[in-house]
Amino acid sequence: MAPPPVPARPGGTPPAAGAKQVVVGLVVALAVVGAVVGGAVAVRSMTAPDKKKNARAGTAANPATPAYDSLDKVVLQLQSFVERARGLTYKTPVKVTVLKDASFLARLEASSSPDVTDLHNEEATLRALRLLPDDVDLAQERKSSLERVLGFYDPATKELYVKGLGTTPYVRYVLAHELTHALQDQQFDLTRLRADNNDAALAARAVVEGDAQRTMRNYLSTLTVLEQDAIAREGRARQDDIYNQAYYTSFDNFPYVVGMAWNDAVRGTRGQAALDAAFRSYPQSTAEIMHPDRYLAGVGPVAVPPPTADGPIVDQGVVGEYQLVYLLARVIDDQEAFAIAQAWGGSRFVTWRTGNRSCTRVRFTMLSSGADRVLAQALGAWAATGDAHVQGTGPVTLTACNGSP
């Protein structure tokens, strides 16, 4: 079992144009190209035990008749399934390119390499907020994640790239997800996946990845018990990080796990048209993903002015509700952290660096004055365990530092 993936950054300085490229991807199994690839796939049975089917003759689950069909044939079959599951149709056939390991990794790195300076500044924010241990190298962790990617869809080239591993049940499972991204791109244009800040970017990823996860789940439910077991075995062999993980253990898992629940809620409440509408106007915060009723009611984040920095700003963004849960859970019970964070209204942060010391200052606004006071108390307990302090009871400002002065 590999260690849990390093949490994705809780922030990020937007590009000069004021918009951040939204990243959509599935590490270990698949990825859609963006600035950083992250996440893990849960490979588990989605059908009730009494409804599982026995293996049919001639399937990949039958070891006597290995089913390594041609990739073109598999893609056509899966495209048909994705169209039925998603209620949309492809405008053009999806081009799938099979590459050997070295060529595949080179293509993935070329499509998803973040700016080294940006990555260094992201580390400063993560370390100041104690979300990245000092002995973890973010660039190295990212490189390790990329090496475990099996396939990815690139909205820029409109191609789906697959590592040359045959058409095993696991690969087909992966392709069902990636072909959903290709369909999303043809219908809604994934190249316009832009957000004003990191929390909004994570929310948009949840819409996109949750939709693809739902299609994967539907595909899995059509398979025999032996085919499902084959997928699970190969997933474990590839060290899928979500095995035995808590529901909310990684920022990387958020778009897939919570995003799928959000997709189910929106589609179940308002129908397919409402889900499609979300691709045209994405939620603006992780709070709207965690609480679908907020999104459906049109309750977006409260505008919060950024706090003042004590030096040149190297990173800035939003610490959203989900990130706040992750931060608070370092010092209080998980359920208490969720209860406090659900009153999140909005936030802004700035990070600056002085020598070897980096500091992050976050200004939070909650939905009520009472919630502001509760947050101030909880953050006070968090600050007491390190180089940090809290000011105000509405808005609440947290300043945290890492490194020697």
Side-chain angles (χ1 to χ4, degrees), residues 184-202:
Q184 293 167 343
D185 188 37
Q186 290 188 16
Q187 290 289 334
F188 307 112
D189 185 11
L190 293 185
T191 63
R192 54 169 287 275
L193 272 174
R194 302 269 172 180
D196 291 335
N197 63 75
N198 55 283
D199 193 54
L202 186 56

Side-chain angles (χ1 to χ4, degrees), residues 297-320:
V299 179
V302 176
V304 177
T308 302
D310 294 345
I313 295 174
V314 298
D315 198 18
Q316 57 187 310
V318 171
V319 175

Side-chain angles (χ1 to χ4, degrees), residues 2 16 44 171 197 233 311 349 375 384 404:
R44 53 172 70 96
V171 170
N197 63 75
R233 286 195 301 274
F349 79 80
L375 176 64
S404 302

Side-chain angles (χ1 to χ4, degrees), residues 144-357:
S144 298
S145 292
L146 291 182
E147 290 173 349
R148 289 155 45 211
V149 171
L150 179 62
F152 67 95
Y153 175 76
D154 188 345
T157 64
K158 311 301 181 187
E159 288 188 52
L160 199 166
Y161 299 89
V162 179
K163 193 178 291 184
L165 297 173
T167 54
T168 66
Y170 186 82
V171 170
R172 298 176 191 219
Y173 183 61
V174 166
L175 286 171
H177 183 111
E178 283 305 334
L179 286 168
T180 304
H181 285 319
L183 181 60
Q184 293 167 343
D185 188 37
Q186 290 188 16
Q187 290 289 334
F188 307 112
D189 185 11
L190 293 185
T191 63
R192 54 169 287 275
L193 272 174
R194 302 269 172 180
D196 291 335
N197 63 75
N198 55 283
D199 193 54
L202 186 56
R205 280 189 63 198
V207 174
V208 174
E209 294 296 354
D211 184 35
Q213 284 294 93
R214 186 169 57 84
T215 301
M216 283 180 79
R217 179 190 63 193
N218 292 345
Y219 172 71
L220 191 66
S221 70
T222 68
L223 303 180
T224 69
V225 62
L226 291 183
E227 287 170 326
Q228 293 182 29
D229 288 344
I231 289 171
R233 286 195 301 274
E234 188 169 349
R236 291 190 184 97
R238 295 181 183 285
Q239 299 183 321
D240 282 352
D241 289 318
I242 207 170
Y243 277 111
N244 300 319
Q245 306 276 324
Y247 192 83
Y248 285 92
T249 56
S250 168
F251 289 126
D252 289 338
N253 296 342
F254 179 89
Y256 310 99
V257 180
V258 190
M260 183 166 65
W262 182 91
N263 271 259
D264 285 339
V266 170
R267 191 169 183 268
T269 302
R270 298 279 179 85
Q272 186 67 51
L275 179 58
D276 291 345
F279 280 84
R280 301 183 183 96
S281 180
Y282 293 101
Q284 295 300 301
S285 67
T286 53
E288 294 167 76
I289 299 297
M290 296 172 70
H291 311 286
D293 55 319
R294 287 178 65 160
Y295 168 76
L296 293 172
V299 179
V302 176
V304 177
T308 302
D310 294 345
I313 295 174
V314 298
D315 198 18
Q316 57 187 310
V318 171
V319 175
E321 178 179 345
Y322 178 68
Q323 294 92 334
L324 179 59
V325 170
Y326 202 94
L327 188 150
L328 292 175
R330 301 289 181 172
V331 293
I332 62 177
D333 176 79
D334 288 354
Q335 293 304 314
E336 185 179 359
F338 277 112
I340 293 173
Q342 69 180 353
W344 180 92
S347 81
R348 296 292 299 185
F349 79 80
V350 293
T351 297
W352 66 94
R353 197 182 269 114
T354 304
N356 295 324
R357 182 177 173 83

